Structure formats: structure tokens, C-alpha cells
Amino acid sequence: MVLLSTACGSHDQPENKPPQSKVERRDASEYLSQPLVKDMYTADPSAHVWDGKIYVYPSHDIDGPTAEDDLGAHFEMRDYHVLSMDKIGEPVTVGPVALDVKDVPWAEKQMWAPDAARKNGTYYLYFPAKDKEGAFRIGVATSKSPMGPFKAQPQPIRGSYSIDPAVFTDDDGASYMYFGGIWGGQLQRNIDGKYDANGSKTDLGQDDKPALAPRVARLTGDMLEFTETPRAIQILDEQGKAILGGDHDRRFFEASWMHKYKGKYYFSYSTGDTHYLAYAIGDSPYGPFTYKGRILEPVEGWTTHHSIVEWNGRWWLFYADTQLSGQTRLRNVKVTELHYNPDGTIQTINPFASPSAKNGAAR
């Protein structure tokens, strides 16, 4: 179990402390891991190891006035702060504002889950936000420091849409962006890459057909644009058939992540309304990927978004739940060790320390 609860700042309670909730609260001892920081709300952690140090690029939750709905309007994030640590299990530093929506010329609101990359001494922050027409696009900002501040490009990446960018750099130096999310993530409104404001609010409503697929596109050498039109990623079952839209336990919802282990490509993602972190394995960064199982059982809270990195010869899962607030919109980032079986499959993690802790029922 990893216990991390120290952060910069002198105040003891998270910002925008929510009112007392009547929801039954668990004791801290019931959770597998503890929040990395307690003086702000963070979620959607994209972790990277650079020069032996761990950097985490999370979204920054705030307690805004918007009512909760199925499309995530209540996730009103406006800026990003980078977390860093020398070692897992030691104090975490929370950086100053790395990028604010007011400094992104094309963006209006909802700075959702970001990711980062490094190339030739420059750090790249990739982020989704809604433009002036209410469509999610993906932007990029650069800095000479992994902590920022980052300066945004004046326009979103051409051909980008939807949410949850995750950038993977392969052994040959080629970098790829994985992205997409249904429901509030608007993937179902961008089937041909053009935003349809009147499109479905959820998915395609075709439970007996292949599920909506996440997207992948290779990045240019300067890491600022796509070299190609984003293509759909195939997620197949063990019989080689496409996962169907009605298979909510296995179909893609949001939160793409890619990592490589022993020469295989591991594409992992959230199933959304069933609250699982699932993964599939392939032989190419483009896929196809064969579904293999779950990485994480449901956490406390609705959303599940993660990253997986190797540090100090061991593998780690970064994720989030609602331990500090008990509210869906106010989350806290955590980390726990991830283990592989001899055949390369991943051992499923229970986010609670005891099987009696309500079996991880989502709230």
C-alpha cells in the first residue's frame, strides 16, 4: 500500500471545501491507497518519468455552480497544476498554474484530462477544451520546464476533436496521440471528424454493432500537429470479433492510455458507466487490440481515468477517486503498484483495502 498525503501549501483542507454530505463516508483505512495531495482536488492523472523523477499531469477539479448532468457539465476545470515527486511514497510538490484557459486563444471552458510529452528539451502539454462553439478540441502548449508555465499554440491541433489525449512515444521515436470519449466527450458527434452539435448525447444507439472506437494519429516531428487523419482503433474479443456497443463492461468510453511491456502494446481505457479500467493488447501502436481484462475495479466516484508508468524497475497505476470530498466533481489522485502475470496479463486491482469495503460500489 502506498501512503502519500503531503503536498505544498499550509492549509489542511482542500480548496472549495464542499458542504457536509449525508453520504456514508468510509474510514481512510478502507482504501488501498491514500491521496497524493490534500490541498487541492485533482483527477485524470497522466504520469511520466523523466530523468528519474515522476511528474503527474492531472486535471484540476473545482466546485463550480453547474448542476451535475450525464454529459459532465459539472466538471468545470479551468487550469492545470503539475505534481512532481522524487520517489513514490515521498512528499509531492504541487506546481503553480501551468496553463489557464484564459491564456488559450481558442478555448472557452472545461480544461479536461491532459497529457504531456518531452522531445529535444521541450515539454508538450496536450489538453482538451471546448471552443467558442461548444465543441471539444485538443490543444498543445509548450515549455522548457516539465512544471511549466506552458504557452499554448494559437489554434487547436488541426483535425483534432473530442477529449482525453494520451501521447505515446515508441522505441523508434515516433509519437502517437490516442484520444476520444463518448457521451460528454462528444466522440459520437464527430464520426467523420466534423462536429455535429445536434448529434447523439450518448453513443450511436447501436448495441448490436461495433462500439464507437477511440482514435489514434501519429504526430509530426515537432509534436504540434497530426501527420495523418485520425483513424479508429479496433478493440476485439478473444475470438477476433469487435466489442459491441451494448457490451458496457468492455466497450470503450473514454480515458485512453498506451504503454509497452515486453514488446507488446497495451491499450487501456475506461468503460465509463460500468466504472472499470480495462485493457487490450496488440502488436502495433495502431492495433488491433485484443481485450484481456480489467486493471482496476470500480473506485468510489463515477469517473475512472488513469495512467501506467514504470519507475525504479516496478510498474505503477495512477488513478483517482472521491475519498476527500465524497462528490463526483471533486476527486483526488492516487497511485498503487501494478503487477503482471507470467503470460503478460495484468492482475486486477481492488481499490479498497478490504473485500468487505462495499466491493468498490461506484457512487
Side-chain angles (χ1 to χ4, degrees):
M1 177 165 56
V2 179
L3 299 176
L4 292 172
S5 59
T6 304
C8 67
S10 59
H11 45 298
D12 297 323
Q13 297 298 325
E15 60 189 43
N16 303 313
K17 183 180 178 182
Q20 289 293 322
S21 172
K22 294 182 180 180
V23 175
E24 180 184 352
R25 304 297 298 280
R26 295 182 176 94
D27 185 83
S29 64
E30 295 186 57
Y31 298 89
L32 176 64
S33 300
Q34 298 302 309
L36 288 178
V37 296
K38 291 186 175 180
D39 63 347
M40 68 188 303
Y41 292 114
T42 54
D44 312 318
S46 293
H48 293 272
V49 178
W50 287 315
D51 301 323
K53 191 168 183 174
I54 303 123
Y55 296 91
V56 183
Y57 297 81
S59 54
H60 174 203
D61 286 347
I62 61 172
D63 196 7
T66 303
E68 187 171 326
D69 66 18
D70 287 340
L71 299 185
H74 50 295
F75 294 111
E76 302 177 76
M77 298 86 97
R78 298 189 296 253
D79 61 18
Y80 300 110
H81 295 254
V82 183
L83 313 181
S84 68
M85 63 191 98
D86 292 321
K87 295 181 179 180
I88 291 177
E90 291 194 354
V92 177
T93 296
V94 180
V97 173
L99 182 66
D100 191 292
V101 69
K102 65 181 174 56
D103 297 319
V104 181
W106 60 269
E108 182 177 31
K109 60 182 180 180
Q110 290 182 290
M111 302 276 274
W112 283 11
D115 192 19
R118 179 176 73 168
K119 185 175 183 179
N120 298 330
T122 297
Y123 296 86
Y124 299 84
L125 181 68
Y126 299 93
F127 59 94
K130 281 184 178 175
D131 64 16
K132 305 302 191 292
E133 284 71 49
F136 269 114
R137 305 294 181 194
I138 296 172
V140 57
T142 59
S143 176
K144 288 300 182 180
S145 168
M147 302 294 286
F150 290 84
K151 181 176 177 57
Q153 295 293 298
Q155 298 294 330
I157 297 172
R158 286 190 296 270
S160 71
Y161 50 90
S162 195
I163 61 169
D164 292 356
V167 173
F168 166 77
T169 299
D170 208 348
D171 300 332
D172 62 359
S175 294
Y176 304 83
M177 179 184 289
Y178 301 82
F179 64 94
I182 61 174
W183 293 23
Q186 301 180 346
L187 185 59
Q188 74 280 356
R189 295 185 178 183
N190 288 277
I191 303 305
D192 59 0
K194 295 181 180 180
Y195 179 65
D196 177 7
N198 298 314
S200 169
K201 290 184 177 180
T202 55
D203 54 25
L204 295 181
Q206 299 173 338
D207 288 355
D208 59 344
K209 294 184 179 179
L212 267 169
R215 301 294 196 258
V216 59
R218 184 169 173 171
L219 291 168
T220 53
D222 63 8
M223 305 290 282
L224 299 177
E225 298 288 347
F226 296 152
T227 65
E228 57 190 351
T229 300
R231 62 180 78 178
I233 295 171
Q234 283 188 300
I235 303 176
L236 309 175
D237 64 18
E238 294 284 3
Q239 287 71 48
K241 297 180 179 179
I243 300 294
L244 300 181
D247 187 353
H248 288 207
D249 282 354
R250 298 190 295 175
R251 63 92 167 87
F252 172 82
F253 189 101
E254 62 188 2
S256 298
W257 186 258
M258 173 63 70
H259 76 282
K260 201 171 184 180
Y261 177 74
K262 293 188 176 180
K264 297 289 187 179
Y265 296 87
Y266 286 66
F267 179 74
S268 49
Y269 57 95
S270 171
T271 63
D273 55 334
T274 48
H275 318 292
Y276 300 122
L277 281 183
Y279 73 104
I281 300 177
D283 295 316
S284 162
Y286 288 113
F289 299 97
T290 300
Y291 178 89
K292 291 295 182 180
R294 300 172 186 167
I295 297 171
L296 184 69
E297 296 289 356
V299 298
E300 178 186 77
W302 201 94
T303 60
T304 302
H305 191 130
H306 68 300
S307 58
I308 297 169
V309 295
E310 184 180 14
W311 177 80
N312 201 26
R314 295 152 70 184
W315 289 88
W316 303 88
L317 173 72
F318 287 77
Y319 64 104
D321 64 17
T322 59
Q323 178 180 340
L324 294 179
S325 73
Q327 295 192 41
T328 297
R329 75 176 78 201
L330 300 173
R331 297 158 291 177
N332 44 256
V333 168
K334 296 185 171 185
V335 62
T336 193
E337 191 168 0
L338 179 144
H339 298 278
Y340 296 89
N341 295 309
D343 64 356
T345 57
I346 296 172
Q347 295 178 17
T348 305
I349 297 168
N350 179 352
F352 297 95
S354 168
S356 64
K358 301 186 180 178
N359 297 315
R363 293 176 178 170

